[in-house]
Amino acid sequence: MSQAEAVPRAPRPLWSLGLLRSEIGVTFRRWRTLALLAVLAGVPVLVGIAVRIETGDGGPEGGGGGPGGPAFLSQITHNGLFLVFTSLAVTLPFFLPMSVGVIAGDSLAGEAHGGTLRYLLVAPAGRTRLLLVKYATTLTFCLVGTLVVALSALVTGALLFPLGEVTLLSGTSVSFGEGLLRALAIAVAVALSLIGVAAVGLFVSALTTSGIAAMATTVGLLITVQILDTLPQLHALQPYLFPHYWLSFADLLRDPVYWDQLQKNLGLQAVYALVFGSAAWARFTTRDITA
């Protein structure tokens, strides 16, 4: 045995920033990703224009309602910052998770269908490391997509409506600067609410070699769970469904902040990430990659 062969190889690190940067770059350069971000950016614009036209024609300035949507909608004409909260409430039930489902569902299955998954593993990336990078990339999209909605809403709200002090849902008023900080905190909370969907999509993507099938299945599961969460007959099951506490971000607009529902939401998302992430790892690390 030669001296070179006798020297043990250093173990490959489980994490690689170079691989992560490459994956994020590839993902965000795809036309599909850019189209999803464009749709997300367009929702606040449409909501803002609709509210502006309705109130400009002498229509009602908004009604009351729960903290999820109408309570925010009624405040937009008084403070454009509320368009941020309204837009996040509008996009969270469907647009944002659907976009995440598309990215997560295509993460592994798309590579397998295109014949590049085997070459990524030979690179060598390693299955566990590649899975972690794919999930981290999906989580990056969760944050970027949420911030795109928030920024588009902030710009649209500033152009169409006045800005100023923010009246919280608890009735107290805070400065515009603190309102911006709360808006940022809400955007982060919304992004964290999507980690469960990302894990489910990654697991589905590990089960098939068809990117379209994985994306459709993930979105279908999302719609099904959303429907189940609205049926009163399933009230005992609903606290365990990943979208159940999504609108708890509204509690960040109270003084003091109500942390109970927010903590339940983050805990539930962590459980989904752990369970479905582990299932994806178990499937992907034992899968026969032939494509």
Side-chain angles (χ1 to χ4, degrees):
M1 179 180 298
S2 65
Q3 184 177 359
E5 293 174 338
V7 177
R9 291 183 178 180
R12 287 177 304 182
L14 187 62
W15 193 250
S16 172
L17 290 179
L19 182 60
L20 178 61
R21 286 195 300 267
S22 175
E23 183 64 27
I24 290 176
V26 169
T27 299
F28 282 89
R29 283 196 299 267
R30 289 173 178 157
W31 283 107
R32 178 176 59 246
T33 304
L34 297 177
L36 290 173
L37 293 175
V39 171
L40 292 174
V43 172
V45 177
L46 294 177
V47 173
I49 292 176
V51 173
R52 180 67 177 179
I53 292 176
E54 183 179 357
T55 57
D57 290 340
E61 293 190 357
F72 293 155
L73 191 63
S74 65
Q75 299 294 327
I76 294 178
T77 55
H78 305 296
N79 193 330
L81 186 59
F82 273 89
L83 184 60
V84 176
F85 312 138
T86 301
S87 299
L88 290 173
V90 168
T91 56
L92 182 55
F94 182 71
F95 291 103
L96 274 170
M98 181 201 69
S99 301
V100 173
V102 169
I103 298 298
D106 190 56
S107 57
L108 295 174
E111 299 280 9
H113 180 74
T116 56
L117 183 57
R118 182 176 60 181
Y119 298 104
L120 280 176
L121 296 176
V122 172
R127 299 196 181 199
T128 299
R129 184 166 56 155
L130 180 61
L131 190 69
L132 288 173
V133 167
K134 291 289 186 180
Y135 188 56
T137 302
T138 305
L139 295 184
T140 302
F141 179 84
C142 293
L143 181 60
V144 171
T146 304
L147 292 178
V148 164
V149 173
L151 183 59
S152 174
L154 180 60
V155 173
T156 303
L159 292 175
L160 298 180
F161 307 102
L163 298 176
E165 288 189 347
V166 178
T167 302
L168 303 179
L169 297 179
S170 55
T172 57
S173 296
V174 297
S175 66
F176 179 72
E178 182 175 339
L180 279 177
L181 290 178
R182 290 186 183 243
L184 179 60
I186 285 176
V188 173
V190 169
L192 292 175
S193 298
L194 300 172
I195 64 178
V197 175
V200 172
L202 191 68
F203 170 65
V204 173
S205 188
L207 296 177
T208 179
T209 58
S210 172
I212 295 178
M215 289 185 286
T217 301
T218 304
V219 174
L221 286 173
L222 169 66
I223 295 174
T224 301
V225 173
Q226 293 270 39
I227 294 174
L228 295 178
D229 197 41
T230 62
L231 299 178
Q233 296 84 353
L234 300 177
H235 66 278
L237 174 65
Q238 289 166 353
Y240 303 99
L241 301 178
F242 58 80
H244 186 68
Y245 298 106
W246 273 355
L247 294 182
S248 62
F249 72 82
D251 289 338
L252 289 170
L253 285 177
R254 302 185 188 276
D255 189 21
V257 174
Y258 295 171
W259 294 106
D260 183 58
Q261 300 293 309
L262 287 164
Q263 291 173 349
K264 288 181 178 179
N265 180 40
L266 295 181
L268 186 62
Q269 302 307 321
V271 169
Y272 270 86
L274 179 62
V275 171
F276 284 93
S278 299
W281 176 83
R283 167 61 178 167
F284 188 59
T285 53
T286 58
R287 176 174 164 183
D288 182 20
I289 306 296
T290 57

